[in-house]
Amino acid sequence: MSITTYELNHLDQLEAEAIHIFREVAAEFERPCLMFSGGKDSIVMLHLAAKAFWPARLPFPVMHVDTGHNFPEVLEFRDKRVEELEARLVVASVQKSIDDGKVVEETGPRASRNRLQTTTLLDAIEEHRFDALFGGARRDEEKARAKERVYSFRDDFGQWDPKNQRPELWNLYNGRIRIGEHIRVFPISNWTELDIWQYIERENVEIPQVYFAHDRQVFSRDGMWLADSEFVTRTEDEKVVTRRVRYRTVGDMSCTGAVESEAATLEQIIEEVSATRITERGATRADDRVSEAAMEDRKKEGYF
Amino acid sequence: MEFLRFATAGSVDDGKSTLIGRLLYDTKSIFQDQMESIEKTSVQMGNDYTNLALLTDGLRAEREQGITIDVAYRYFATPKRKFIIADTPGHIQYTRNMVTGASTADVALVLVDARHGVVEQSRRHAFLASLLRIPHLVVCVNKMDLIDYDEKAFNEVKEEFRNFAMKLEIPDLTFIPVSALHGDNVVERSSNMPWYEGSPLLHHLEEVHIASDRNHIDARFPVQYVIRPQSDEHHDYRGYAGTVAGGVFKPGDEVMVLPSGFTSTVASIDSYDGPVAEAFGPMAVTIRLTDDIDISRGDMICRPNNQPVSSQDIQAMVCWMSENADLTPRMKLALKHTTRSSRVMITDLHYRIDVNTLHREENPSSLQLNEIGRISLRSTQPLFFDEYRRNRNTGSFILIDEATNATVAAGIIVGSGT
Ligand SMILES: Nc1nc2c(ncn2[C@@H]2O[C@H](COP(=O)(O)OP(=O)(O)O)[C@@H](O)[C@H]2O)c(=O)[nH]1
Ligand SMILES: [Mg+2]
């Protein structure tokens, strides 16, 4: 940061924009909530939120939509972080939605709880009467996300209408909604994967170990390495091997792929991310491969 | 590294999305899986070429119709700069989405099809860019490949555009002949147009000087959120959080708070990372004052000898964006300006601008969707503002329809009074 010319470097600008958004929502909404998965983007979000309100605590709770298919180290990390920040944690459980008969578990080798999450999320929003949900989605992740506003208006059913988004001018966000409606808010919309990693390094943000190269029992499916775990059913051809891998995203274990990597430090990860030729979701998310417009369709149903 | 934000503009099919695709492609910013995916889709759609516009036209409806409906944001970097691109739609019915993308841009790229010259949408968008005071405007005369890279045709478009732009305030205007489809003068200098002596587009974007476009003179700090920790450790802490909207703030500065008019001194500027020596836009910080005065969200901290205008009567240009209702005198709306929300009444509709001729039609009865006009409004509370031309942050507002909660206008403050 060069004080004499009054210029901010890109990470400072991105940080300032995100903090502005956090404060704006906290000021204008009655019951905001921050979605926290334990993944790197939501960890950065939590860090930014802590900065926005320092020295006060977060003026809103943190919610994890728990598919039940978690990396154990990520869950551990979640609880530790929440405790450090003295934040309130709400867990919305997909397993409970299944047990309550609200959704039906998919079966077969490709069963995933990804779609079911939406119901669990929408039920939790209704139960807690949340009116604004912070999400860590970035526009560089996916082509439907590239189109979404920072304040993404959702109707009573949590649906996104991409053909009828509110104009969003300057940094003047329109947060007016009716009862039952809510908004999803994306403070890190303008960050790229590389920005996230550079920021994690600069800020010394702690992240779960699964992001660094480690040996893991994996099997290959659709050109991705999936972790062998109790949450997946392998076919006979899907043989388990040990590979040195790291995760670029962390989500549901049954559909998040690992990438082969030797990057064991942040510096090495940044180097790898700078050189990579495959997008983050392309390399790691089975849920996006369903169809060309898989993300858009899920968003229209109320997904993040 | 520094950011440059730019937005595309211009009529449908003039090649905006293709140009962005080309810029991304030639700077190697496209990932392999994205490329494979658009190659596949292009084949399915029966295109002769890999359709680079698909990189930004990501919605199902956009692909079905082959058009851009809403802004797509894309990101890329060169060793010199980081870029945020807003690729906007050209259709008149989606003008509000174009304005969304353009409102924060440092540079506007107006595309013009070399075969058709300057058409109504090119004029509308150039006018909007000047109204929004995007400091730099680059006219990309596109599809040069279809007119044999003809210099004369390029000069004609240039002349035509210049004639129109003379009536606008455009501080920095540049013309570049390009072929978005083939990449001429996008990243690499074109060998098809040896007569062109200027830089290719990317080079221009890397070099254009934007550091002085922000206001660092008039200290403005709209209070966004009051931080009062409910903890023993910080029991008496009271900080005013916000984003610097103009000028520079330092500890020890004498400040005035509006609307109360009380003066105090900046005790410290706080952040999670420690005290801040100087805060300037767009930093998000927390200011503490030496005196305990009543300050809340929507108040404005400034300097006693440099205050914004404080008035309930405002003169503004608006771009009307509602398809449900027209703007008419006496209409009541909600307004958001800096961190202040208020209710307003439209007291007068002075004129509407014909975007083709820039002619003012005096005293129209209403403004319809996508029309631009000059209004007066009266606010239930005073607003603390500067002219938009002096400060984009304190000179802009939005209007909201209280019945539908839709954002229905972008407002640009020209002054106070009726
Ligand atoms: N021949 C030629 N065609 C172009 C050029 N740029 C764009 N096009 C074509 O013009 C059509 C519209 O382009 P698109 O990028 O979607 O325009 P937009 O509506 O401004 O975003 C597409 O069929 C493009 O392939 C160019 O430089 N030369
Ligand atoms: Mg387009």
Side-chain angles (χ1 to χ4, degrees):
Chain A
M1 190 166 78
S2 144
I3 291 291
T4 43
T5 57
Y6 301 123
E7 277 172 42
L8 288 183
N9 74 33
H10 73 282
L11 292 179
D12 289 327
Q13 278 194 49
L14 290 170
E15 179 186 79
E17 180 178 70
I19 288 177
H20 178 84
I21 295 162
F22 272 114
R23 289 171 171 170
E24 198 61 15
V25 171
E28 290 202 319
F29 286 81
E30 272 171 35
R31 301 174 78 89
C33 174
L34 189 151
M35 301 284 291
F36 185 71
S37 66
K40 66 179 190 310
D41 297 327
S42 61
I43 291 170
V44 165
M45 289 272 290
L46 207 47
H47 183 74
L48 290 163
K51 283 194 160 189
F53 302 103
W54 182 91
R57 285 190 205 109
L58 298 190
F60 38 73
V62 165
M63 174 161 72
H64 181 211
V65 177
D66 181 358
T67 62
H69 295 169
N70 300 297
F71 292 89
E73 46 283 62
V74 174
L75 269 194
E76 232 169 79
F77 184 88
R78 175 195 81 186
D79 293 338
K80 185 171 95 95
R81 222 23 218 136
V82 164
E83 201 182 306
E84 280 166 6
L85 291 170
E86 299 176 43
R88 188 161 76 82
L89 176 70
V90 174
V91 177
S93 152
V94 175
Q95 185 61 53
K96 185 160 182 306
S97 302
I98 295 170
D99 296 344
D100 292 350
K102 297 208 161 139
V103 290
V104 178
E105 175 98 83
E106 293 175 9
T107 52
R110 273 153 203 275
S112 149
R113 289 183 166 183
N114 201 296
R115 250 200 144 83
L116 311 187
Q117 277 185 77
T118 301
T119 306
T120 308
L121 169 65
L122 295 177
D123 286 349
I125 292 172
E126 204 162 308
E127 184 192 333
H128 298 275
R129 290 183 291 123
F130 291 135
D131 52 8
L133 281 100
F134 293 106
R138 308 189 322 263
R139 287 171 174 156
D140 85 321
E141 277 180 87
E142 207 280 333
K143 58 187 180 305
R145 290 199 160 153
K147 293 268 165 182
E148 200 166 5
R149 301 278 190 261
V150 171
Y151 273 34
S152 179
F153 175 80
R154 303 300 174 102
D155 66 10
D156 285 306
F157 301 94
Q159 299 180 102
W160 180 51
D161 181 1
K163 286 178 73 178
N164 194 21
Q165 300 193 80
R166 285 182 182 169
E168 196 163 83
L169 302 140
W170 301 288
N171 63 357
L172 296 173
Y173 300 102
N174 174 359
R176 292 173 69 114
I177 53 167
R178 297 193 191 120
I179 292 173
E181 299 167 341
H182 69 274
I183 58 158
R184 307 280 170 90
V185 186
F186 303 111
I188 57 169
S189 286
N190 288 325
W191 299 48
T192 63
E193 184 186 13
L194 187 60
D195 297 328
I196 292 282
W197 285 113
Q198 288 174 339
Y199 189 72
I200 287 172
E201 186 188 41
R202 182 183 94 167
E203 300 281 305
N204 258 316
V205 178
E206 203 188 326
I207 50 170
Q209 283 306 314
V210 296
Y211 281 111
F212 298 99
H214 57 283
D215 290 327
R216 188 177 281 268
Q217 301 264 89
V218 290
F219 66 94
S220 169
R221 179 181 286 176
D222 301 334
M224 281 188 311
W225 293 114
L226 291 187
D228 185 36
S229 74
E230 54 185 306
F231 311 127
V232 290
T233 319
R234 280 180 288 111
T235 63
E236 251 172 51
D237 302 336
E238 295 175 329
K239 298 272 182 284
V240 172
V241 291
T242 303
R243 283 285 180 281
R244 196 153 183 79
V245 296
R246 69 174 177 88
Y247 284 89
R248 281 175 78 180
T249 66
V250 165
D252 186 317
M253 255 187 122
S254 68
C255 62
T256 307
V259 293
E260 284 194 57
S261 170
E262 292 292 334
T265 64
L266 284 174
E267 208 176 20
Q268 289 165 346
I269 292 175
I270 289 170
E271 208 171 295
E272 227 176 69
V273 171
S274 315
T276 183
R277 301 305 315 139
I278 312 245
T279 61
E280 181 180 306
R281 295 193 81 86
T284 64
R285 297 306 274 259
D287 39 329
D288 286 345
R289 299 193 172 183
V290 180
S291 80
E292 263 298 291
M295 174 66 87
E296 180 180 341
D297 293 345
R298 277 181 288 144
K299 275 184 171 295
K300 286 180 185 159
E301 287 170 6
Y303 186 78
F304 250 88
Chain B
M1 228 190 302
E2 194 193 28
F3 269 123
L4 181 115
R5 295 180 191 242
F6 67 93
T8 58
S11 191
V12 191
D13 281 346
D14 284 356
K16 297 178 290 298
S17 300
T18 307
L19 180 72
I20 296 313
R22 175 53 71 179
L23 208 46
L24 293 170
Y25 184 79
D26 286 353
T27 52
K28 317 233 171 339
S29 314
I30 301 177
F31 293 91
Q32 210 174 309
D33 51 316
Q34 290 172 328
M35 199 61 206
E36 281 163 16
S37 149
I38 67 161
E39 276 166 1
K40 220 171 66 194
T41 309
S42 299
V43 171
Q44 266 166 21
M45 296 183 7
N47 292 334
D48 294 344
Y49 304 94
T50 296
N51 184 356
L52 293 173
L54 292 174
L55 283 166
T56 54
D57 292 339
L59 297 176
R60 196 189 275 282
E62 292 178 323
R63 290 175 168 212
E64 279 163 12
Q65 299 168 46
I67 59 164
T68 307
I69 293 174
D70 211 329
V71 199
Y73 293 92
R74 297 295 310 232
Y75 307 83
F76 79 104
T78 67
K80 294 213 172 109
R81 255 185 188 154
K82 273 182 79 90
F83 297 94
I84 300 183
I85 311 173
D87 183 32
T88 74
H91 280 92
I92 179 162
Q93 78 185 101
Y94 303 128
T95 301
R96 58 186 180 204
N97 297 336
M98 179 273 174
V99 177
T100 291
S103 65
T104 52
D106 303 301
V107 177
L109 304 183
V110 179
L111 272 87
V112 176
D113 186 327
R115 297 169 306 168
H116 306 146
V118 180
V119 296
E120 173 168 338
Q121 277 302 81
S122 342
R123 292 198 188 92
R124 182 186 306 274
H125 285 180
F127 177 62
L128 283 167
S130 82
L131 194 66
L132 292 165
R133 296 197 75 82
I134 301 177
H136 311 274
L137 200 144
V138 181
V139 179
C140 296
V141 181
N142 189 32
K143 309 200 185 183
M144 290 301 291
D145 55 299
L146 296 180
I147 54 159
D148 296 326
Y149 301 101
D150 179 26
E151 179 178 12
K152 202 167 135 272
F154 170 71
N155 285 331
E156 277 165 20
V157 176
K158 198 164 143 179
E159 201 47 41
E160 196 186 357
F161 196 96
R162 272 234 173 91
N163 278 333
F164 177 73
M166 256 172 13
K167 295 176 246 169
L168 302 174
E169 280 185 70
I170 299 174
D172 174 27
L173 180 63
T174 310
F175 294 86
I176 306 180
V178 301
S179 166
L181 188 66
H182 300 295
D184 297 81
N185 287 335
V186 178
V187 170
E188 300 294 337
R189 174 172 297 285
S190 167
S191 56
N192 293 313
M193 292 175 271
W195 47 263
Y196 172 69
E197 286 168 355
S199 335
L201 176 62
L202 179 65
H203 186 259
H204 184 75
L205 293 173
E206 286 182 324
E207 298 298 328
V208 60
H209 182 71
I210 54 166
S212 54
D213 296 339
R214 253 175 217 289
N215 180 322
H216 293 305
I217 297 162
D218 312 309
R220 302 283 183 264
F221 190 82
V223 175
Q224 191 182 14
Y225 189 89
V226 180
I227 295 187
R228 297 232 43 188
Q230 310 292 328
S231 65
D232 294 341
E233 191 188 345
H234 301 284
H235 190 77
D236 293 322
Y237 189 96
R238 189 180 178 92
Y240 306 105
T243 301
V244 179
V248 182
F249 287 86
K250 293 195 274 298
D253 281 353
E254 198 193 8
V255 291
M256 176 178 268
V257 183
L258 299 173
S260 70
F262 286 128
T263 53
S264 183
T265 305
V266 175
S268 67
I269 303 175
D270 299 346
S271 82
Y272 177 94
D273 300 300
V276 177
E278 276 187 303
F280 50 89
M283 286 168 74
V285 295
T286 302
I287 290 182
R288 278 195 296 150
L289 301 179
T290 50
D291 302 275
D292 221 349
I293 44 186
D294 176 21
I295 299 177
S296 50
R297 175 175 165 85
D299 289 1
M300 174 77 83
I301 301 180
C302 59
R303 307 291 301 266
N305 57 3
N306 180 344
Q307 298 173 33
V309 182
S310 167
S311 174
Q312 281 173 268
D313 291 300
I314 290 143
Q315 299 252 9
M317 297 294 296
V318 289
C319 175
W320 188 248
M321 309 196 278
S322 168
E323 65 241 306
N324 297 320
D326 297 345
L327 177 144
T328 49
R330 304 208 56 78
M331 191 174 205
K332 295 190 180 77
L333 295 150
L335 168 144
K336 191 167 176 184
H337 167 257
T338 64
T339 55
R340 208 155 231 254
S341 292
S342 169
R343 296 188 72 217
V344 299
M345 185 169 80
I346 309 295
T347 46
D348 213 340
L349 174 54
H350 301 280
Y351 58 82
R352 171 171 52 210
I353 300 250
D354 177 329
V355 293
N356 267 310
T357 58
L358 299 180
H359 180 76
R360 295 176 180 180
E361 296 168 48
E362 304 287 337
N363 302 312
S365 57
S366 67
L367 282 187
Q368 293 175 2
L369 176 65
N370 299 319
E371 291 186 334
I372 297 152
R374 168 79 170 257
I375 59 163
S376 298
L377 55 82
R378 181 164 178 87
S379 165
T380 53
Q381 310 175 43
L383 302 181
F384 315 115
F385 60 85
D386 298 283
E387 273 179 60
Y388 184 85
R389 54 183 307 143
R390 184 145 181 107
N391 190 326
R392 263 167 127 173
N393 299 313
T394 54
S396 54
F397 63 84
I398 56 171
L399 296 176
I400 298 163
D401 181 332
E402 291 177 298
T404 62
N405 289 333
T407 305
V408 291
I412 281 161
I413 299 178
V414 234
S416 62
T418 46

